[in-house]
Amino acid sequence: MKNEIAKKIILPMMVFFAILMVWSLIANNVEEFPTPSDTYVSAFGGINADGDEIVGVLSDPLYIENEDDKGVLWQIFASLQRVFAGFSLAILIGVPLGLFIGMSKNAQYAFDPFIQIFKPVSPLAWLPLLLFIFQDINLTAVSTIFVTSIWPIIINTALGVRNVSEDYMNVAKVLQFSPAKKITKIILPVAVPFIFTGMRLSLGIAWLVIVAAEMLTGGIGIGFWIWDEYNNLNYHHIIIGIIIVGIVGFILDLLMGIIADFFDYRKKGRA
């Protein structure tokens, strides 16, 4: 047990130092590429390698200068609002549609070709068309998230329904369950772990999409903030933005994993 805990601490640290070494090597060979130490100063403030005093972007992440100039935490909050709006819409439509497809062979035959066609389409392909339709930054970002993150929910929900034992369905017939009762008493208890797996994948895609969407649509948000820092040649801030995006994505996945495990009857300690 102690060895496992030590491995979980030591091995990631080894990889972390290896990443720092590669990063430093790139910085030494690419002119003006940010070093790890200067990036740290740009994040938290201090004296950089040139002896200049820097105010870190994370030293006051909640500042508001004007509507278009806000601290990095406000950028994250704006992105998360769009993500959860599109993600919630994907759940509201994806779960019922997945249940329908899983319960009906005819529905499966009708929808499956279109799911397979649209599922691999890049969000950047949808973005210009949706921007043309809505003529609004927020609606475009939300709809792009919706149309690209709904597929894992539909597919995993349908898969969960198909994993319901035929014996259970026969019992429902014998007891003359109504369709609603069959769903709530027989299908959902089995399908819920699959649904949450789809939601976990969907949320990861939603967070991935929002960065690209905001880079193209503009406005406030972590994706636009990264692109704006690129236009201002603040490469230190780009790296900070990448790390922030990764950490937030990790936290979202971790939270969804905890929720999914809670509802998964297959996990140890649960009925």
Side-chain angles (χ1 to χ4, degrees):
M1 184 66 180
K2 290 182 179 180
N3 287 338
E4 287 297 318
I5 295 174
K7 287 180 181 179
K8 288 181 179 180
I9 296 173
I10 295 173
L11 293 179
M13 291 300 296
M14 292 173 62
V15 174
F16 175 70
F17 285 118
I19 291 172
L20 288 181
M21 289 176 61
V22 173
W23 183 355
S24 299
L25 184 64
I26 294 172
N28 289 333
N29 288 276
V30 178
E31 189 176 355
E32 296 186 3
F33 194 89
T35 64
S37 59
D38 277 352
T39 302
Y40 178 86
V41 171
S42 294
F44 300 102
I47 307 298
N48 64 9
D50 296 327
D52 300 323
E53 187 172 355
I54 303 296
V55 177
V57 296
L58 299 180
S59 58
D60 186 13
L62 289 171
Y63 82 88
I64 300 178
E65 185 68 28
N66 54 57
E67 190 62 30
D68 297 322
D69 185 9
K70 297 182 179 180
V72 69
L73 274 183
W74 293 115
Q75 310 288 343
I76 295 172
F77 292 153
S79 296
L80 287 174
Q81 286 179 344
R82 298 186 184 111
V83 164
F84 282 109
F87 176 61
S88 300
L89 190 59
I91 293 172
L92 289 175
I93 296 177
V95 172
L97 185 56
L99 290 172
F100 179 51
I101 293 171
M103 295 171 64
S104 170
K105 276 288 184 183
N106 290 334
Q108 180 183 345
Y109 296 148
F111 285 98
D112 189 63
F114 299 99
I115 292 173
Q116 300 306 322
I117 289 170
F118 291 122
K119 182 181 66 173
V121 176
S122 167
L124 299 183
W126 288 106
L127 199 62
L129 182 63
L130 295 172
L131 185 59
F132 173 70
I133 292 171
F134 293 109
Q135 302 289 316
D136 180 83
I137 292 172
N138 286 321
L139 287 177
T140 299
V142 169
S143 58
T144 303
I145 290 168
F146 162 73
V147 80
T148 53
S149 65
I150 192 173
W151 313 117
I153 295 176
I154 295 174
I155 292 169
N156 280 274
T157 301
L159 180 63
V161 175
R162 296 190 198 107
N163 270 269
V164 177
S165 171
E166 194 65 33
D167 293 337
Y168 294 164
M169 301 303 290
N170 291 333
V171 169
K173 289 179 182 178
V174 171
L175 296 177
Q176 297 182 339
F177 280 3
S178 66
K181 195 170 184 180
K182 188 196 303 185
I183 291 173
T184 56
K185 298 295 184 181
I186 302 294
I187 294 175
L188 277 181
V190 176
V192 158
F194 293 88
I195 293 172
F196 274 97
T197 298
M199 288 168 59
R200 185 177 183 179
L201 294 171
S202 177
L203 184 58
I205 292 172
W207 184 244
L208 183 71
V209 167
I210 190 61
V211 175
E214 288 174 344
M215 282 184 175
L216 295 181
T217 58
I220 186 172
I222 190 65
F224 175 72
W225 184 80
I226 292 173
W227 189 251
D228 192 49
E229 294 306 308
Y230 167 75
N231 290 329
N232 293 327
L233 304 180
N234 290 330
Y235 300 113
H236 301 81
H237 292 180
I238 295 174
I239 295 176
I240 294 168
I242 290 171
I243 295 171
I244 289 173
V245 168
I247 291 173
V248 173
F250 172 73
I251 293 172
L252 291 176
D253 184 70
L254 187 65
L255 292 175
M256 278 302 302
I258 293 171
I259 296 171
D261 288 347
F262 178 80
F263 286 99
D264 194 341
Y265 66 91
R266 300 167 300 182
K267 297 297 181 180
K268 292 181 180 180
R270 298 194 62 81

